[in-house]
């Protein structure tokens, strides 16, 4: 008997190819996950965000303010809105993550420039994500130093000397010291829940298939919705245990400020927990093995991690990536956790994020019921 037989080798090789053909989902996952990583990291990820939503409260329209705003737009960092807002409305938009900067140009701004009084421009920046604001603030400093030179001509040319004709005051709100963990730790709450809960429930129904107990469920008069609830509710308590652990460590160990409503955050956590459990159950419904279920959960977790704004600034992504990220529950949950914990936001500024999570959960729940009926019926 020879030590190697091509016939025996090709027999085993043929068997494995046939097995791969019988399990197309596993093969597809091994191909799609690397492709997804390449696409997301190459096209969707950008640490230098542009077109950040900016509210301008201009109390002194003139050639000087028009020049300043034009220079801001030329940097591509700012997407300027000059709609008439009150201070309260502007602050609410910042709490709702709809404004990254608020620029206050005071009355008599132009007259003070002409008189050489160096008037101040107050820029309020949402510093919960310091990466998203640092480059834009550097551009603003350049604008205030040199951006007025083309209109400071004739008798006003002397104002081009250093320091510049305008004094820029930047108020970094919610995270004035740009402490990284203030942004990371609240986001970890959503990341951990997404990873663990979706993965756990992705195994639930496939475990029934592999162990053979699925036949017992088929023989009972249990409704699909009852099976869904029966499999989800035990893990809701587990999710809240994780929430309590993460919040306790973030507050007592990392000294992350908590200025909002704990009750509001718990409501958000409940919605997010049942959403992720439903997603995991959906993957278990369309998978026949636990390996397939875990791979499907990874396929959901990867874009959630990369496109939610947790690792990279959300505004730095292209429009198509923001559209995908806007459909993911983690994106909205991160805005809620950072809004409640760091900004003290109430329900109404964050209501659209709550609504997005509820809609996503409702769609996934309907798919669960339909797929469960088709699989077991």
């Amino acid at each position: 008997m020879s030590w190697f037989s091509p016939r025996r080798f090709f027999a085993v090789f043929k068997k494995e190819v046939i097995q791969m053909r019988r399990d197309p989902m596993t093969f597809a996952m091994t191909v799609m996950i690397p492709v997804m990583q390449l696409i997301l990291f190459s096209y969707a990820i950008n640490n230098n965000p542009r077109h950040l939503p900016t509210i301008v409260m201009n109390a002194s329209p003139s050639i000087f303010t028009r020049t300043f705003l034009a220079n801001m737009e030329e940097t591509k960092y700012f997407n300027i809105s000059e709609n008439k807002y009150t201070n309260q409305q502007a602050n609410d938009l910042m709490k709702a993550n709809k404004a990254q900067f608020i620029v206050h140009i005071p009355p008599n701004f132009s007259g003070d420039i002409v008189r050489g009084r160096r008037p101040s421009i107050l820029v309020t920046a949402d510093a919960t994500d310091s990466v998203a604001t640092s480059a834009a603030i550097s551009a603003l400093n350049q604008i205030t130093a040199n951006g007025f030179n083309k209109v400071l001509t004739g008798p006003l040319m002397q104002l081009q000397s250093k320091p510049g004709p305008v004094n820029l005051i930047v108020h970094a709100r919610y995270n004035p010291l740009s402490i990284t963990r203030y942004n990371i730790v609240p986001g970890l709450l959503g990341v951990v829940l997404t990873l663990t809960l979706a993965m756990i429930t992705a195994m639930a129904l496939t475990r029934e298939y592999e162990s053979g107990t699925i036949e017992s469920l088929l023989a009972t008069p249990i409704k699909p919705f009852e099976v869904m609830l029966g499999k989800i509710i035990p893990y809701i308590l587990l999710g809240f245990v994780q929430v309590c652990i993460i919040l306790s460590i973030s507050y007592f160990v990392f000294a992350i400020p908590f200025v909002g409503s704990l009750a509001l955050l718990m409501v958000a956590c409940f919605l997010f927990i049942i959403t992720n459990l439903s997603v995991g159950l959906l993957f278990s419904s369309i998978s026949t093995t636990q390996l397939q279920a875990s791979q499907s959960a990874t396929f959901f977790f990867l874009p959630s991690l990369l496109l939610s704004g947790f690792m990279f600034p959300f505004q730095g992504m292209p429009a198509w990536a923001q559209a995908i990220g806007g459909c993911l529950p983690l994106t909205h949950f991160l805005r809620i956790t950072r809004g409640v914990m760091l900004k003290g936001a109430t329900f109404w500024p964050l209501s659209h994020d709550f609504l997005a999570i509820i809609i996503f959960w409702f769609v996934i729940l309907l798919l669960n019921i339909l797929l469960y009926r088709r699989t077991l019926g």
Side-chain angles (χ1 to χ4, degrees), residues 197 200-209 211 213-214 217 222-238 273-274 277-278 280-282 284-285 368 372 376:
L197 297 180
I200 287 174
T201 48
M203 306 292 186
L205 199 55
T206 52
R207 189 182 302 118
E208 303 281 359
Y209 280 105
S211 63
T213 56
I214 192 66
L217 281 177
I222 300 177
K223 303 294 184 181
F225 184 71
E226 295 168 347
V227 174
M228 300 299 128
L229 287 180
K231 290 187 173 297
I232 285 178
I233 289 178
Y235 297 107
I236 293 178
L237 297 177
L238 177 62
I273 287 171
I274 62 175
L277 293 176
S278 300
L281 203 57
L282 174 64
S284 70
S285 298
N368 266 314
Y372 180 83
L376 300 182

Side-chain angles (χ1 to χ4, degrees), residues 126-140:
D126 182 353
T128 53
D129 188 353
S130 56
V131 175
T133 58
S134 57
I137 292 175
S138 297
L140 276 177

Side-chain angles (χ1 to χ4, degrees), residues 339-369:
V340 172
M341 294 179 65
L342 302 179
K343 303 179 182 180
T346 57
F347 172 76
W348 288 113
L350 303 173
S351 58
H352 60 286
D353 293 308
F354 278 93
L355 181 61
I357 295 176
I358 292 172
I359 293 174
F360 184 90
W361 171 75
F362 185 72
V363 171
I364 295 298
L365 184 62
L366 290 179
L367 289 175
N368 266 314
I369 295 173

Side-chain angles (χ1 to χ4, degrees), residues 5-134:
S5 170
R7 182 178 179 182
R8 294 194 300 268
F9 164 74
F10 281 109
V12 176
F13 176 80
K14 182 178 180 181
K15 170 187 172 298
E16 290 303 316
V17 171
I18 294 174
Q19 187 65 33
M20 288 176 60
R21 291 176 59 186
R22 291 176 178 175
D23 189 11
M25 181 174 290
T26 299
F27 179 75
M29 289 297 176
T30 59
V31 175
M32 289 303 299
I33 288 178
V35 171
M36 179 186 295
Q37 288 178 316
L38 287 172
I39 292 175
L40 293 182
F41 278 100
S42 300
Y43 295 105
I45 305 304
N46 180 13
N47 278 324
N48 190 22
R50 301 298 181 96
H51 306 292
L52 300 170
T54 303
I55 294 175
V56 174
M57 306 182 73
N58 187 0
S60 179
S62 68
I63 187 174
F64 296 105
T65 56
R66 289 194 296 271
T67 300
F68 178 75
L69 298 180
N71 289 334
M72 288 180 62
E73 290 184 327
E74 287 176 4
T75 66
K76 306 300 182 183
Y77 285 111
F78 306 95
N79 184 15
I80 294 177
S81 170
E82 292 191 76
N83 294 332
K84 300 297 182 180
Y85 295 111
T86 64
N87 287 329
Q88 184 61 46
Q89 290 172 333
N91 291 331
D92 288 342
L93 288 173
M94 179 169 283
K95 287 185 177 181
N97 301 294
K98 294 182 178 179
Q100 193 76 27
F101 297 94
I102 303 174
V103 179
H104 300 265
I105 300 178
N108 302 318
F109 176 79
S110 302
D112 289 341
I113 287 182
V114 172
R115 297 179 181 89
R117 295 177 179 175
R118 298 193 71 234
S120 297
I121 296 178
L122 173 63
V123 177
T124 303
D126 182 353
T128 53
D129 188 353
S130 56
V131 175
T133 58
S134 57

Side-chain angles (χ1 to χ4, degrees), residues 60-322:
S60 179
S62 68
I63 187 174
F64 296 105
T65 56
R66 289 194 296 271
T67 300
F68 178 75
L69 298 180
N71 289 334
M72 288 180 62
E73 290 184 327
E74 287 176 4
T75 66
K76 306 300 182 183
Y77 285 111
F78 306 95
N79 184 15
I80 294 177
S81 170
E82 292 191 76
N83 294 332
K84 300 297 182 180
Y85 295 111
T86 64
N87 287 329
Q88 184 61 46
Q89 290 172 333
N91 291 331
D92 288 342
L93 288 173
M94 179 169 283
K95 287 185 177 181
N97 301 294
K98 294 182 178 179
Q100 193 76 27
F101 297 94
I102 303 174
V103 179
H104 300 265
I105 300 178
N108 302 318
F109 176 79
S110 302
D112 289 341
I113 287 182
V114 172
R115 297 179 181 89
R117 295 177 179 175
R118 298 193 71 234
S120 297
I121 296 178
L122 173 63
V123 177
T124 303
D126 182 353
T128 53
D129 188 353
S130 56
V131 175
T133 58
S134 57
I137 292 175
S138 297
L140 276 177
N141 286 320
Q142 287 295 111
I143 291 173
T144 54
N146 305 311
F148 292 94
N149 289 349
K150 59 184 177 182
V151 293
L152 294 175
T153 58
L156 301 179
M157 187 173 296
Q158 60 179 345
L159 298 177
Q160 295 183 14
S161 60
K162 300 297 182 179
V166 173
N167 179 35
L168 182 69
I169 301 175
V170 177
H171 178 201
R173 185 177 290 179
Y174 312 124
N175 186 12
L177 299 180
S178 298
I179 300 175
T180 304
R181 65 176 181 269
Y182 281 21
N183 179 56
I184 296 297
V185 175
L188 277 175
L189 177 61
V191 171
V192 170
L193 291 176
T194 299
L195 175 62
T196 58
L197 297 180
M199 187 71 71
I200 287 174
T201 48
M203 306 292 186
L205 199 55
T206 52
R207 189 182 302 118
E208 303 281 359
Y209 280 105
E210 292 187 340
S211 63
T213 56
I214 192 66
E215 288 81 2
S216 299
L217 281 177
L218 286 170
T220 65
I222 300 177
K223 303 294 184 181
F225 184 71
E226 295 168 347
V227 174
M228 300 299 128
L229 287 180
K231 290 187 173 297
I232 285 178
I233 289 178
Y235 297 107
I236 293 178
L237 297 177
L238 177 62
F240 273 107
V241 169
Q242 291 179 316
V243 169
C244 293
I245 292 173
I246 295 173
L247 290 181
S248 298
I249 293 176
S250 66
Y251 185 78
F252 294 106
V253 177
F254 295 108
I256 305 299
F258 196 114
V259 298
S261 168
L262 179 60
L264 182 61
L265 183 60
M266 289 298 104
V267 172
C269 288
F270 173 76
L271 291 174
F272 190 66
I273 287 171
I274 62 175
T275 298
N276 280 285
L277 293 176
S278 300
V279 169
L281 203 57
L282 174 64
F283 290 139
S284 70
S285 298
I286 62 177
S287 305
T288 56
T289 66
Q290 294 187 61
L291 177 60
Q292 287 181 355
S294 63
Q295 290 173 334
S296 300
T298 302
F299 197 74
F300 170 73
F301 175 73
L302 186 61
S304 294
L305 182 67
L306 298 178
L307 300 181
S308 63
F310 172 72
M311 294 185 64
F312 308 97
F314 188 83
Q315 297 293 341
M317 303 175 190
W320 63 266
Q322 290 188 30

